[in-house]
Amino acid sequence: MTRFLQCGREAVLAEVDDLDAALALYAALRAADLPGVTDLVPAARTVLIRLHPEMTSPAAVREAAAALEPDGGAPASAGTVEIPVVYDGPDLADVAEHLGVTPDEVVARHTRDPWTVAFAGFAPGFGYLTGGHPSFDVPRRPTPRTRIPAGSVGLAGRFSGVYPGDSPGGWQLIGSTTERMWDLDRREPAVLLPGVRVTFKAVRS
């Protein structure tokens, strides 16, 4: 079930039951290309639909979005990215123990299956990646770290992610990359945009 909330004159927030429903709705909205819609911002259980008030109205967008029939498909690909990772994170052994496998197997699983950026949030350039190996469902650390270095690659729940800058955080850190996830000097500052397909590649330090 989808609940629509008006956000002023320029946006409508669609609330759904879970991540799968949010991704399905996001995919349907992208495919529909509704007139006057200027941007779509997916999240874990919502999709923010931004609109141009001189081209359409929140009521019209709400009616059109409610008439869509999401089929559960993934968002259309927004390109592919390969991220080289040195798998030497401080939590790699703990993640392996939690999964009942070796650290090498954690690396193999993390690099074997592709991931997709479901949505962005937390910090500029931080993408929540879904997919990957089905065994990954890793609890956050009981006590978050006060500082995680930029480029740290982590796991939390069903998600994987790469910290774009130094920040606090509670994800399980399994490696690091020298790739910059957020750079204001680029035309598109963020590497991990919704719909981008991601593969991780193990490299030596």
Side-chain angles (χ1 to χ4, degrees):
M1 180 178 180
T2 304
R3 179 188 181 199
F4 294 96
L5 302 173
Q6 183 171 332
C7 302
R9 298 176 58 244
E10 299 183 0
V12 173
L13 183 69
E15 293 185 339
V16 293
D17 292 333
D18 53 30
L19 175 61
D20 290 340
L23 295 180
L25 178 60
Y26 175 62
L29 287 165
R30 284 191 64 180
D33 193 21
L34 300 178
V37 171
T38 60
D39 194 16
L40 299 169
V41 184
R45 292 191 298 171
T46 62
V47 180
L48 181 68
I49 309 169
R50 300 184 64 181
L51 59 98
H52 195 303
E54 295 182 2
M55 298 175 62
T56 188
S57 68
V61 167
R62 183 171 61 249
E63 182 178 355
L68 297 176
E69 297 183 2
D71 61 6
S77 175
T80 60
V81 172
E82 182 180 85
I83 300 177
V85 178
V86 178
Y87 285 93
D88 59 355
D91 302 319
L92 180 59
D94 290 342
V95 170
E97 182 178 1
H98 174 77
L99 297 177
V101 299
T102 65
D104 286 345
E105 179 60 19
V106 173
V107 175
R109 293 181 183 185
H110 196 250
T111 56
R112 183 182 304 152
D113 299 317
W115 300 76
T116 300
V117 183
F119 57 93
F122 169 63
F126 190 95
Y128 288 78
L129 310 182
T130 59
H133 195 276
S135 67
F136 284 126
D137 191 351
V138 178
R140 293 171 180 263
R141 287 176 54 82
T143 303
R145 293 181 170 92
T146 57
R147 178 183 176 275
I148 292 178
S152 296
V153 178
L155 297 165
R158 296 163 52 197
F159 298 108
S160 187
V162 184
Y163 282 80
D166 295 355
S167 69
W171 288 37
Q172 304 279 2
L173 306 182
I174 60 173
S176 63
T177 181
T178 57
E179 297 292 305
R180 300 187 66 178
M181 297 295 103
W182 178 260
D183 187 346
L184 289 173
D185 291 331
R186 292 192 297 245
R187 181 175 180 180
E188 174 50 66
V191 171
L192 301 181
L193 298 170
V196 168
R197 306 292 172 82
V198 179
T199 56
F200 292 100
K201 179 181 179 181
V203 297
R204 296 180 181 274
S205 58

